[in-house]
Amino acid sequence: MSHVTTHEHDVIIIGGGGAGLRAAIAIAEENPDFSVACVSKVYPMRSHTVTAEGGAAAVIKDHDSLEDHIYDTISGADWLADQDAVEYFVNRAPREMIQLEHWGCPWSRKPDGTVAVRPFGGMKIERTWFAADKTGFHMLHSLFQTTLKYGNIVRYDEHFATKLLLDDEGRCRGCAAIELRTGTVRAVLGKSVIICTGGAGKAFPFTTNGAIKTGDGMAMAYQAGVALKDMEFIQYHPTGLPGTGILITEASRGEGGILVNKDGHRYLQDYDLGQPLDVNDPRHPQKRAMELGPRDKLSQCFIKEKNAGRTIRTRDGHVVHLDLRHLGEKKIDKRIPFVRELARSYAGIDPVHQPIPVRPVVHYVMGGIDVDSNSATNIPGLYAAGECACVSINGANRLGSNSLTELLVFGGQAGTHAARFAMDHPDYDVSALLAQAGDERDRIRRTYFSSPHKSGSERIAVIRKELHESMEDGAGIYRDADSLESTCTKIAELRERYANVALDDHTNSFNTELTAALELSSLLDVAQSMAHSAMQRTESRGSHQRLDHPERNDDDFLAHSLAYHQEDGSAPRIEYRPVTITKWPPGARTYGADSGLKRE
Amino acid sequence: MPDNETITLELFRYHPETDSEPRFQSYDVPYDEDWVVLDAINWIKDYVDGSVTHRWSCRMGVCGSCGMMVNGEPKLTCAAFLKNYYPFPIKVEPLVNFPVERDLVVDMEGFMDKLQDVKPYIIRDDVNDTSGGEYRQSPAELAQYKQYSMCINCMLCYSACPVVGHEDEFLGPAALALGHRYNKDSRDQGQSERLEVMLSSEAMWGCTFVGECSVVCPKHVDPAGAIQQAKAMGAQEYFKRFVMPKGAGV
């Protein structure tokens, strides 16, 4: 880690998942003379997009309508989504999905060769495109392989970005990144920057998220002065495998799977989610009802069922059963083969013959880097897209299968706007940026390779574990002022103790203990914004359920929270910005048989 | 099971800054029948020795990061359960046939170059024109290449392949299967130029259908089958060149 090297391009993308790769292609395609850098802490095909299973929503069939997709998304979001952004998203989605089809994504097909769609939670009509149940895997690999066509996309694989570099006018012009192989700090410079680093599920102990989902990009933007928006909204997916948290896709319910409690009862009918139809009824599964209700409500029903003593106790905590047996082996193998593979490998059961034990699991962060519908932040030249960003189309609860589409729509959008910014603002002073990168290298050396870190007493894994326990206990599916207060206090304590983290490894090449320490730092920042934003929102909406404030309060909280980082690391300043309402005034959020009727 | 049971992992250690030779280091890890080898390595890194270096992310067999040699066999360590080895020690090494970066991390730059070499993308002129809606592709046409599209780039097949071991320029099982995946995609029109790359190296013909690649593949891609089919397509292509001007075929 001796010297800083300089690498200049036109646009810098941090993150090589679905959003980052889509942005890279947009720029490379629209600006063949541009050089696009993609800086990623892993090889792009390792990015977490790869694990998404069920599908990606876009209106394509004749019996569907853009208006319905918009309404489903807005009501699913409990009216916290910005409606202009949702309209743009839904209108743009079909074109993006067809484009990805042209780039080779192996979508499942109908006999006539058109793409097949399946029902998904909270959606009134089946509109979820899918590639069996490995949709994210196929989307990511199709995007990655397509980027290989472009000579002007330059990859910085296994480069861990740690800091955004801003010029004298306050414009973002690149990042400092550690090349993992050598430990060299590189100043990767460009005329504009897009952050596409994904979510932060690893702030919690029980999550579907991979090891890499540590909120690095969110923390970088936060530190640079961009607000983190709506961070109190954390999505629990209702069906994770106990123990590992491995996701069992919502597509399993879209294909007809049912949820039952310890008595074999389809308990969702007891919570205003409609009445069940027999699994052999041709109208099963009903859209926007029962097992195809939205994720926030289904996860909340699990807790209520558990509190009523009707869940099943296992070594890995309480579960309910996801029963797919009536689908039969043929359908399971054709439509959701990965579910069978995962259940067999990691739960030791075959869903053809046995129900799958499941429980809610942290899956997605609705909040993120505050951007507008052009994917722009308040820092000129800095953009963000994908799970790390909050536009917001997801509001208080994201609908399943909207996030993969979001990667495409807003990844492309960010690419286009970042390229325009680069064209309009081409000149910057390299030396000033290089000096900042040098300072960042010195900070890393000082912080992690010299005392007290070198002789400190705290272990990364211990602080991380305590953070996990505190987030689960205090900021889970149901929260109240007391639980959040103790989580906020705990995070403050852990931030202090973090200063005494000791590394075993003080070498340069492939120092993954250093990256684990940097990731923990990001998680502490992001978790702090989550807990404090949750503390201040004294209402219940979507995934944010306050036991002490059980009602939605549109008078005071039809607004996005904006958490601003404080220089001394103390509690963030929280501000609010009204939600943009265009045509759909806040209404009752209803699911069940009449859910499609209560529209106006 | 008693709480104090342990299992021994013997980890391959090599640090380019300090070691002239690799060595093995043993660690006793709490035994849990639900744990996979990756969990045990993570436990060591978290609580015993933070300098142990490996790659991982999804822990559900789809990101492709955590391939290593487990008792001499290429495995995804997130899918290799301790209970299948217990009570015997487990020896973990980096994937063979790759240069070692550090400990269990191999250099995969050469592999990445090979993926790019086979032009793994749809080649046709109207690929960015979405105005006509999706390209039609029947379920039967999808089935022609679907299996070959399932590769997670975990590189286990390169560790199993006897040709990769001694022929550096051999594109290798995963890259050839990927090229074949696009050749078999009804939407693609780039078969001719892709085959030219795939068949250019002598080494391709050195693949003797040993089939070790297909045996170790955790996703049942069957690269060996893909390579045999590609050879057959190549022979047809070769024949066509005699009867048609270049580029006129397909």
Side-chain angles (χ1 to χ4, degrees):
Chain A
M1 209 179 277
S2 52
H3 59 295
V4 172
T5 60
T6 312
H7 308 264
E8 290 195 74
H9 302 275
D10 292 292
V11 181
I12 311 302
I13 299 168
I14 307 172
L21 296 175
R22 180 65 190 90
I25 297 170
I27 299 162
E29 192 64 48
E30 291 164 26
N31 311 271
D33 298 336
F34 266 18
S35 170
V36 188
C38 182
V39 180
S40 171
K41 69 176 176 177
V42 291
Y43 282 89
M45 64 277 187
R46 314 304 190 207
S47 306
H48 195 68
T49 306
V50 79
T51 64
E53 296 170 15
V59 173
I60 186 84
K61 299 299 179 190
D62 289 341
H63 68 294
D64 198 359
S65 76
L66 296 168
E67 172 110 350
D68 280 327
H69 190 186
I70 293 168
Y71 180 79
D72 286 342
T73 301
I74 290 169
S75 56
D78 215 349
W79 275 271
L80 195 71
D82 287 321
Q83 298 183 1
D84 54 343
V86 175
E87 289 184 68
Y88 173 79
F89 164 71
V90 168
N91 282 301
R92 179 80 192 182
R95 189 166 136 199
E96 281 291 336
M97 296 288 286
I98 292 167
Q99 181 63 79
L100 191 64
E101 189 279 328
H102 280 18
W103 288 337
C105 191
W107 297 116
S108 294
R109 303 282 178 157
K110 301 211 315 188
D112 67 357
T114 59
V115 295
V117 290
R118 63 164 43 126
F120 238 69
M123 300 278 193
K124 186 185 168 200
I125 292 170
E126 60 279 11
R127 64 169 67 94
T128 297
W129 303 35
F130 59 99
D133 56 355
K134 284 199 175 171
T135 309
F137 163 79
H138 285 299
M139 287 177 64
L140 182 69
H141 280 251
S142 298
L143 285 166
F144 173 62
Q145 289 157 12
T146 300
T147 64
L148 298 177
K149 198 162 67 168
Y150 298 96
N152 57 337
I153 298 175
V154 181
R155 292 203 322 272
Y156 291 82
D157 296 333
E158 298 195 322
H159 281 63
F160 193 107
T162 63
K163 188 180 174 56
L164 297 172
L165 306 177
L166 272 58
D167 69 12
D168 291 343
E169 280 87 54
R171 296 174 181 144
C172 191
R173 300 298 203 173
C175 64
I178 303 168
E179 181 191 37
L180 295 187
R181 190 171 65 83
T182 61
T184 306
V185 172
R186 292 184 156 178
V188 188
L189 307 181
K191 298 158 190 166
S192 57
V193 174
I194 310 171
I195 303 178
C196 302
T197 50
K202 281 289 178 184
F204 290 81
F206 188 64
T207 173
T208 60
N209 284 194
I212 58 177
K213 296 276 299 283
T214 50
D216 311 317
M218 291 177 179
M220 244 186 303
Y222 187 51
Q223 298 256 355
V226 186
L228 294 183
K229 182 162 75 189
D230 293 342
M231 292 301 286
E232 61 272 43
F233 297 98
I234 313 294
Q235 177 160 85
Y236 278 76
H237 193 293
T239 60
L241 289 182
T244 58
I246 288 172
L247 175 70
I248 298 299
T249 173
E250 190 164 308
S252 57
R253 285 171 281 127
E255 296 295 343
I258 57 171
L259 286 167
V260 298
N261 66 14
K262 74 178 172 64
D263 304 316
H265 174 64
R266 289 174 69 185
Y267 60 92
L268 296 175
Q269 63 188 289
D270 304 332
Y271 301 101
D272 286 336
L273 284 162
Q275 287 303 308
L277 290 174
D278 187 88
V279 294
N280 298 313
D281 189 308
R283 292 167 297 162
H284 172 81
Q286 307 167 85
K287 279 54 147 209
R288 280 186 70 115
M290 288 298 294
E291 284 84 2
L292 291 180
R295 291 175 179 174
D296 57 339
K297 287 191 180 285
L298 266 57
S299 293
Q300 290 153 20
C301 292
F302 172 90
I303 300 294
K304 290 174 184 160
E305 204 61 6
K306 175 171 171 247
N307 291 343
R310 292 193 293 262
T311 49
I312 302 146
R313 182 192 292 275
T314 73
R315 196 192 108 162
D316 296 309
H318 285 257
V319 300
V320 288
H321 278 155
L322 173 62
D323 196 343
L324 309 180
R325 288 174 294 182
H326 54 282
L327 302 181
E329 184 167 14
K330 201 173 152 196
K331 186 166 187 181
I332 288 172
D333 283 349
K334 179 154 187 235
R335 296 299 198 113
I336 44 174
F338 195 35
V339 166
R340 191 176 187 193
E341 180 187 329
L342 291 170
R344 278 173 149 175
S345 301
Y346 294 102
I349 70 110
D350 184 348
V352 170
H353 304 295
Q354 296 157 282
I356 309 173
V358 292
R359 57 171 275 212
V361 55
V362 169
H363 185 53
Y364 187 88
V365 181
M366 264 72 73
I369 300 167
D370 176 29
V371 295
D372 61 22
S373 53
N374 292 335
S375 300
T377 70
N378 62 325
I379 293 180
L382 181 63
Y383 300 79
E387 189 180 348
C388 73
C390 180
V391 182
S392 159
I393 64 160
N394 298 315
N397 173 64
R398 177 177 69 79
L399 289 193
S401 77
N402 268 350
S403 69
L404 286 176
T405 312
E406 181 179 2
L407 302 177
L408 301 176
V409 171
F410 289 103
Q413 175 80 323
T416 298
H417 286 274
R420 277 185 206 157
F421 185 92
M423 269 183 280
D424 294 344
H425 304 87
D427 300 318
Y428 58 86
D429 176 8
V430 173
S431 61
L433 301 169
L434 198 51
Q436 287 174 43
D439 290 347
E440 175 63 359
R441 173 207 53 200
D442 294 344
R443 181 191 73 87
I444 293 168
R445 275 217 152 280
R446 196 173 56 243
T447 310
Y448 299 102
F449 288 178
S450 58
S451 58
H453 276 281
K454 209 158 182 170
S455 57
S457 53
E458 295 284 355
R459 235 185 138 74
I460 293 169
V462 173
I463 293 184
R464 189 169 54 210
K465 187 158 183 284
E466 290 185 32
L467 173 67
H468 283 169
E469 286 165 359
S470 181
M471 290 300 283
E472 183 168 70
D473 291 348
I477 294 176
Y478 286 99
R479 306 105 181 243
D480 62 26
D482 289 344
S483 76
L484 288 165
E485 177 67 44
S486 74
T487 298
C488 290
T489 305
K490 183 70 183 182
I491 291 170
E493 175 210 313
L494 294 175
R495 291 173 70 93
E496 278 183 28
R497 285 168 52 192
Y498 180 84
N500 287 315
V501 158
L503 301 193
D504 297 337
D505 189 351
H506 302 109
T507 64
N508 292 321
S509 90
F510 232 100
N511 188 333
T512 52
E513 195 185 26
L514 171 62
T515 53
L518 293 165
E519 289 172 332
L520 178 58
S521 172
S522 299
L523 287 174
L524 287 166
D525 275 351
V526 170
Q528 185 191 45
S529 74
M530 290 170 171
H532 284 273
S533 302
M535 176 64 124
Q536 299 214 15
R537 184 177 288 272
T538 49
E539 66 154 357
S540 289
R541 183 185 298 272
S543 65
H544 173 71
Q545 292 293 312
R546 287 282 298 255
L547 291 168
D548 48 350
H549 297 277
E551 301 299 326
R552 193 174 88 187
N553 175 356
D554 287 335
D555 292 340
D556 297 320
F557 287 107
L558 192 60
H560 301 293
S561 66
L562 299 166
Y564 288 93
H565 180 257
Q566 302 301 298
E567 275 307 312
D568 61 1
S570 62
R573 183 180 85 249
I574 310 274
E575 296 179 3
Y576 292 91
R577 181 194 299 146
V579 171
T580 303
I581 304 287
T582 57
K583 289 189 262 179
W584 296 271
R589 194 168 167 234
T590 54
Y591 293 93
D594 56 351
S595 71
L597 303 174
K598 288 190 183 172
R599 291 272 295 267
E600 306 301 336
Chain B
M1 132 186 59
D3 286 341
N4 55 2
E5 279 185 84
T6 60
I7 187 166
T8 303
L9 262 70
E10 294 170 7
L11 300 187
F12 178 101
R13 303 298 311 268
Y14 170 73
H15 196 302
E17 292 165 33
T18 52
D19 297 341
S20 54
E21 291 287 319
R23 62 202 156 83
F24 283 90
Q25 196 164 350
S26 286
Y27 300 90
D28 289 334
V29 175
Y31 174 69
D32 183 322
E33 65 176 11
D34 287 342
W35 274 19
V36 291
V37 171
L38 177 61
D39 295 325
I41 298 170
N42 284 336
W43 184 87
I44 294 167
K45 185 168 182 73
D46 280 351
Y47 295 106
V48 182
D49 184 347
S51 73
V52 166
T53 302
H54 64 298
R55 291 187 177 110
W56 73 289
S57 181
C58 77
R59 206 207 168 276
M60 55 186 280
V62 70
C63 80
S65 305
C66 70
M68 299 171 206
M69 306 300 291
V70 180
N71 283 353
E73 283 181 68
K75 294 267 189 197
L76 290 181
T77 51
C78 72
F81 282 83
L82 297 183
K83 64 187 172 200
N84 294 335
Y85 301 91
Y86 185 81
F88 303 104
I90 304 173
K91 185 178 260 193
V92 187
E93 300 164 89
L95 287 177
V96 298
N97 295 338
F98 293 93
V100 177
E101 294 271 16
R102 178 179 174 179
D103 293 350
L104 301 163
V105 172
V106 296
D107 177 354
M108 50 187 283
E109 284 300 310
F111 173 78
M112 297 300 285
D113 291 344
K114 288 172 181 177
L115 287 185
Q116 182 152 16
D117 287 345
V118 300
K119 300 176 191 277
Y121 35 79
I122 298 286
I123 298 173
R124 61 189 277 173
D125 290 340
D126 63 351
V127 78
N128 290 327
D129 177 6
T130 56
S131 58
E134 76 262 52
Y135 300 140
R136 299 293 177 101
Q137 182 167 66
S138 70
E141 287 169 328
L142 174 65
Q144 287 285 308
Y145 70 89
K146 186 69 195 288
Q147 179 178 23
Y148 307 120
S149 74
M150 303 300 282
C151 171
I152 61 171
N153 300 160
C154 67
M155 311 187 299
L156 301 192
C157 55
Y158 284 64
S159 289
C161 174
V163 184
V164 168
H166 60 82
E167 294 273 7
D168 275 351
E169 98 271 29
F170 181 42
L171 286 167
L176 288 167
L178 183 61
H180 188 62
R181 169 248 178 279
Y182 281 94
N183 282 342
K184 298 289 280 182
D185 191 320
S186 58
R187 298 167 292 186
D188 178 72
Q189 298 169 354
Q191 178 182 306
S192 194
E193 57 181 289
R194 204 173 287 114
L195 274 176
E196 201 161 325
V197 181
M198 290 167 64
L199 304 176
S200 64
S201 94
E202 288 291 314
M204 160 95 172
W205 303 92
C207 167
T208 52
F209 201 40
V210 174
E212 284 301 321
C213 51
S214 297
V215 172
V216 299
C217 178
K219 299 293 146 184
H220 314 294
V221 173
D222 190 18
I227 292 170
Q228 296 317 305
Q229 288 185 24
K231 282 181 184 174
M233 284 167 82
Q236 285 173 19
E237 191 76 6
Y238 181 78
F239 175 72
K240 269 192 228 157
R241 291 214 183 135
F242 284 101
V243 295
M244 282 187 249
K246 189 175 180 198
V250 193

